[in-house]
Amino acid sequence: MTDNAFEVHDPLILKNARQVLDACQSGAEMRQAVLDAVQRNETWRGQQCVNLLAPEAPTSPTVRALLSSEIGTRAAEGNIGSVQRWFAGTKYIDEVEALCVELLKQAFRCRYADHRLMGSMLGNMAAYHALAQPGDVIMTVAQPYGGHSSNRYDGPAGFRGLKIVDVPWDAHEMAVDIDLFRKMAPLVKPRLVTLGLSMTLFPQPVREIKEVVQEWGGKVFFDGAHQAGLIAGGQFQDPLQEGADLLTGSAGKTFGGPQSGMIMWNDPELTVPITQAIFPVLAATHQVNRVAALAVAAAEMIAFGKEFMAQIVRNSQALAAALDRRGIAVLGKHKGYTTTHQVIADVKTMGGGLDAAHLLARANLITNKNLLPNDQPADWDRPSGLRMGTIEVTRLGMKEPQMEQIADFIGKVLIDKQPPESILEDVIEFRQPYQALYYCFENGLPG
Ligand SMILES: *Cc1c(COP(=O)(O)O)cnc(C)c1O
């Protein structure tokens, strides 16, 4: 096979894959090549790394096992119930899906929920399909302030043909500038205001925004992809309670479940538009193994969410303070650094977020580059910030003293400029005792 003239993917990595496959003598060897790569990741990321990616969570043994369960091979499209389905034979699938819906309602203390979204991206698509028409004006948060592409021109919002006006932002407070919003919003009368933040440190004025936009019938959509677990665990603002019309979440972020979308609302008038946007627009067979795993994750959240999320927040505050003490600039200091799972550092003077993240990865410390308020959206490839999250380290049973040790490792690389390889063995050794997961029915709370 020849090299393709143009690939969106790294051509070198694709070429390596072709070479691996070309060297195989049989399909069985090709199969083994795939299994080996998966195993390498499991050993490295699963056992030897300190994973500080904010949008990532390890799942309990039961949730992981359910992802390979028999039910995942079954086709089930449509709404729950024998008449609404296309296929016969779904009586137990209906049971599982109904349990999932009711568990989501309990976890989020809301009247309606849907379980069929394969990711939160589809939740955003459903929201823009159900609550807006092409050409409508909406207001969403710009990327350097933490906004996510799904709510901008390059994501579902743009794809739906919406006109996007920026939500005014106070970069120092890391929150909506509500005074400016009160002046600006009536000028454009947005059909929808979306609060969708991938960089999220503090609560937002949901109630105040709703009060402003309801004058012209505008709605509020809280894209809680990152905060869903914190919301369910009662450790963050409760957007639906504060007047948001719609809440979405990624189950694979703070919620600690399978990678999956969730969508919740209270207004019965939204049920038809939202569910019709999901089926038949965005989901047909919707992976019932994922639904079963999501249901168990919701039960775990109901049982352990409060303690799990409270420790996540304590850990991120401890990590932020410890990094700050070592000379790394952490955002939000005057407000206690963070009220979520996230810690945001400004590493512009240390070569920027891309270089910092790759340096740290050589020491098995996994983080990601992030745009900061002073960056331009076009700086996405080499932004100033570094984003860290405490979901995984918390679920592995780590507490505040371990955050101090992690900050030590990060400081050695970014401040003392030690070669990452010089601390690699120490990081692996530090991670070694933390192999079991807590805040789940198998292992309960950490000691
Ligand atoms: C991660 C994220 C999404 C996309 O979620 P997936 O579950 O990965 O599809 C949407 N919105 C925001 C704000 C996010 O951070």
Side-chain angles (χ1 to χ4, degrees), residues 127-128 130-132 137-139 181 189-195 206 209-222 243-246 267 269-270 273-274:
Y128 294 126
L131 303 183
V137 172
I138 64 165
M139 290 178 82
F181 182 86
K189 292 196 170 55
R191 173 120 301 278
L192 193 63
V193 176
T194 302
L195 294 171
V206 171
I209 288 172
K210 175 69 179 184
E211 270 164 21
V212 173
V213 301
Q214 72 186 6
E215 244 175 68
W216 53 86
K219 293 208 169 353
V220 176
F221 164 34
F222 197 96
D245 297 278
L246 194 58
D267 181 357
E269 301 216 336
L270 294 182
I274 290 170

Side-chain angles (χ1 to χ4, degrees), residues 55 118-122 124 146-148 150-151 196-198 223-226 249-251 253 259-261 387:
M118 246 101 73
S120 207
M121 289 299 275
L122 297 181
N124 293 29
H148 188 259
S150 53
N151 304 308
L197 297 165
S198 310
D223 168 0
H226 267 271
S250 294
K253 297 181 184 175
Q259 292 188 349
S260 175
R387 184 177 64 166

Side-chain angles (χ1 to χ4, degrees), residues 334-346:
H334 68 296
K335 295 173 81 170
Y337 303 107
T338 179
T339 61
T340 69
H341 58 305
Q342 294 190 5
V343 177
I344 309 292
D346 184 341

